[in-house]
Amino acid sequence: MYGAFKRKKSGRYVLDQMETLSGHESTVSCIALSSLQGIAVSGSNDGTIIIWDLGKKSYLRSLNHRSPLTAVSINQNNGNIMTLSASLVKLWSVNGNRIAEKNLETFSQPTCGVATACEDYQHGILILIGHLNGQVTLWDLLYPGDVDNQTKERHLCLRKTLETGKRVAISCLRLDGQQRHLAIGDVSGSVTHFTSAEQVYIRP
């Protein structure tokens, strides 16, 4: 871990190493940070996810997948954590409780993912997943009693599919702080920009 500090004499900001966090036994494949929630989340090739306390610079808890982690992301408003491994996407609370999961085997292979800043109760887009075929899928969380929910459990529901116009793998996704701009990178070297007058995560 590195932190930015201003030197008194020069007035310049520099990065100083603060701590080395050890806990994974395999290659760390992805990482996410949230200064608002005070946590970092790291995923590894052995399927282990570790939640770290940024303030205490210490281990908090572990989560697990059965396959190497493709992506981890943190909801900046509530601390919920999105994890993506092979074709399985999971949503966890910051306390490590599984909220919902979705097997995406019937979709094109997931390649990346990101959590939005949507609160659960807003019934909006919580997760965006990039796919091998160039599509981006947007996912909502349904609760028991919701009109669209035919089960007794919370589950992720597909709300919209974005088409970039190119059938090449999506390599990265990024939302701006206002959640109104979405940038989509692909393996051909292109970046596609989606924008909305409303926040991206509000249900279409």
Side-chain angles (χ1 to χ4, degrees):
M1 288 178 58
Y2 287 80
F5 301 95
K6 181 180 285 188
R7 297 294 190 188
K8 291 183 178 179
K9 292 183 179 179
S10 66
R12 295 179 179 178
Y13 286 93
V14 297
L15 286 175
D16 285 347
Q17 185 171 355
M18 298 171 63
E19 198 74 33
T20 298
L21 303 177
S22 300
H24 288 288
E25 297 180 356
S26 183
T27 300
V28 176
S29 55
C30 48
I31 194 164
L33 295 167
S34 174
S35 57
L36 290 175
Q37 297 296 327
I39 59 170
V41 179
S42 52
S44 73
N45 283 348
D46 64 4
T48 301
I49 305 120
I50 296 181
I51 304 175
W52 308 91
D53 185 318
L54 288 180
K56 296 180 180 179
K57 305 176 186 64
S58 62
Y59 169 94
L60 278 178
R61 59 187 58 88
S62 295
L63 311 172
N64 291 102
H65 274 266
R66 294 182 178 180
S67 303
L69 270 295
T70 304
V72 295
S73 184
I74 303 168
N75 183 317
Q76 297 296 321
N77 280 341
N78 58 24
N80 286 350
I81 298 163
M82 183 281 304
T83 59
L84 177 64
S85 173
S87 60
L88 187 62
V89 58
K90 294 185 180 183
L91 185 66
W92 312 79
S93 74
V94 70
N95 295 320
N97 299 314
R98 185 181 63 84
I99 297 172
E101 66 179 59
K102 180 73 175 181
N103 194 317
L104 305 179
E105 286 184 341
T106 59
F107 294 81
S108 175
Q109 177 65 39
T111 54
C112 56
V114 66
T116 74
C118 181
E119 297 283 4
D120 298 350
Y121 63 82
Q122 289 181 305
H123 288 294
I125 303 303
L126 296 180
I127 295 172
L128 290 79
I129 302 292
H131 296 268
L132 191 65
N133 65 355
Q135 293 180 334
V136 177
T137 51
L138 282 61
W139 298 87
D140 184 12
L141 181 66
L142 294 185
Y143 284 80
D146 287 344
V147 175
D148 297 338
N149 193 353
Q150 303 302 314
T151 73
K152 295 182 179 180
E153 297 182 352
R154 293 175 292 185
H155 69 274
L156 294 169
C157 175
L158 178 65
R159 284 302 177 191
K160 191 177 182 67
T161 300
L162 301 179
E163 302 282 353
T164 61
K166 300 178 68 176
R167 296 188 65 81
V168 295
I170 303 301
S171 55
C172 55
L173 301 168
R174 180 70 177 181
L175 279 166
D176 77 320
Q178 297 299 316
Q179 308 283 287
R180 289 190 171 91
H181 297 271
L182 170 64
I184 304 170
D186 64 45
V187 297
S188 75
S190 297
V191 176
T192 305
H193 175 226
F194 283 83
T195 186
S196 173
E198 299 294 333
Q199 291 172 317
V200 171
Y201 60 65
I202 298 303
R203 178 181 288 181

